[in-house]
Amino acid sequence: MNPYVLTTLLSSLGLGTTLTFASSHWLLAWMGLEINTLAIIPLMAQHHHPRAVEATTKYFLIQATAAAVILFAGTANAWATGEWNMTNMSDPIATTMILAALSLKVGLAPMHFWMPEVLQGLDLLTGLVLSTWQKLAPFALIIQTSQAFDPLLLTTLGLTSTLVGGWGGLNQTQLRKVLAYSSIAHMGWMVIVLQYAPHLTFLALLMYILMTSAAFLTLKLSYATKIGTLATTWSKAPLLTATTALVFLSLGGLPPLTGFMPKWLILQELAKQGLPFTATIMALAALISLYFYLRLCYSMTLTISPNTAASTTPWRTQTTQVSAPLALFTVMALSLLPITPAMTALLI
């Protein structure tokens, strides 16, 4: 892609997100979301592959539907209240419609069906943008309007997403689909605690972005898109294989890795709020997710591919890819747990 075009698209992506962050008016927020969607469409379709074009078309239709519903609900709320302000959401039907549309935008269950299919059709870098950056603007709106939403509805969305994210990823062999279901499960963790401690939702989103970035960049460096490919990585980059296994375990939420921090704090908050049953279901759902991360780790570190070359050539192959961002994200995805008190103190 032409560097000038790429710069324009990435700037528009940043502009759309910033516009949504800064807005307290539904029309401005809608405009930011639309700029965001239109900026990523060319990035998704840049390879002109039938799968990429199909994924782009699906994504455009889903996002356009969600944006139309947000605009309609914002108009209905303005009609009922006389103002476009986000903080004044007194119409229950408009509020529910906005939550449904934003859930569709970020891929919360049961509005998640587009997410694995779209992610599967993209290359790993565009998939990374879709899984991380594209979640920011809708989540900013969800956090801003969280007090207007029905608590039971948020809890149901959170539990459903965590269970579907864990259950859906069990049978997958494609790594992008596994990461899509991982994303759905993490979104569930963020939404469940939203009504009690929005700062924990923000913390969970931040940790999710760090860990997912590390996972996508690792897969890009090793050119892996299927579980079978992971079995050959140990002969090419043994150190990378070890850190990748730890990144997957961090995504699963195992201590003493970074991924344990948000899960621990969210379960603690749910217990404080007198919801031990909900906390137990969330912890059990996390175990289902952990199973498919362990499956990836097993493929990488404990199996030998039958077609691995015995020569030493793969050890000496030099890659031309930039690995500095990967190193940074991997370190953060593995070692932030000790600074949990500092993180919580900064966010509260």
Side-chain angles (χ1 to χ4, degrees), residues 3-48:
Y4 296 116
V5 175
L6 185 63
T7 307
T8 306
L9 292 174
L10 291 176
S11 304
S12 302
L13 211 58
L15 173 69
T17 308
T18 312
L19 202 61
T20 307
F21 279 176
S23 63
S24 58
H25 189 287
W26 277 117
L27 264 183
L28 203 60
W30 170 80
M31 206 182 299
L33 292 172
E34 283 296 277
I35 292 170
N36 223 347
T37 304
L38 293 174
I40 201 174
I41 293 290
L43 293 174
M44 293 169 79
Q46 64 181 317
H47 295 296
H48 306 295

Side-chain angles (χ1 to χ4, degrees), residues 109-322:
M111 280 79 81
H112 67 284
F113 294 100
W114 62 272
M115 182 87 183
E117 299 300 324
V118 167
L119 208 58
Q120 179 58 29
L122 305 177
D123 66 301
L124 288 164
L125 263 186
T126 317
L128 168 61
V129 175
L130 186 74
S131 301
T132 54
W133 187 263
Q134 291 298 93
K135 307 282 188 200
L136 292 175
F139 245 98
L141 295 181
I142 291 174
I143 291 171
Q144 267 183 282
T145 52
S146 62
Q147 298 312 312
F149 298 139
D150 180 16
L152 182 62
L153 193 57
L154 284 174
T155 306
T156 309
L157 278 173
L159 284 172
T160 313
S161 298
T162 317
L163 288 165
V164 165
W167 203 256
L170 289 180
N171 205 25
Q172 301 300 331
T173 55
Q174 298 286 340
L175 295 174
R176 283 167 292 187
K177 282 195 176 180
V178 168
L179 286 168
Y181 280 109
S182 159
S183 170
I184 293 163
H186 278 90
M187 293 296 125
W189 279 91
M190 292 170 214
V191 165
I192 196 108
V193 79
L194 182 61
Q195 56 203 315
Y196 309 114
H199 66 277
L200 288 184
T201 298
F202 181 70
L203 177 70
L205 181 62
L206 189 65
M207 295 302 119
Y208 159 76
I209 287 172
L210 291 180
M211 295 182 292
T212 306
S213 301
F216 268 103
L217 291 171
T218 305
L219 298 179
K220 184 179 175 293
L221 199 71
S222 52
Y223 301 103
T225 54
K226 293 195 284 287
I227 290 184
T229 321
L230 288 179
T232 63
T233 51
W234 66 272
S235 64
K236 297 172 188 170
L239 189 60
L240 185 68
T241 305
T243 56
T244 309
L246 288 172
V247 166
F248 283 134
L249 292 176
S250 184
L251 270 167
L254 278 190
L257 304 167
T258 303
F260 180 60
M261 183 205 298
K263 287 187 169 60
W264 165 36
L265 292 171
I266 289 168
L267 289 176
Q268 188 182 16
E269 185 62 36
L270 289 174
K272 266 189 208 168
Q273 296 291 340
L275 298 164
F277 185 63
T278 310
T280 307
I281 295 174
M282 293 297 286
L284 291 173
L287 284 179
I288 304 173
S289 297
L290 184 61
Y291 174 79
F292 63 75
Y293 295 123
L294 283 170
R295 188 160 154 246
L296 298 182
C297 296
Y298 176 77
S299 300
M300 286 193 79
T301 55
L302 296 171
T303 57
I304 295 177
S305 176
N307 56 3
T308 306
S311 66
T312 55
T313 316
W315 294 79
R316 295 176 187 165
T317 308
Q318 292 297 316
T319 179
T320 54
Q321 295 190 61
V322 179

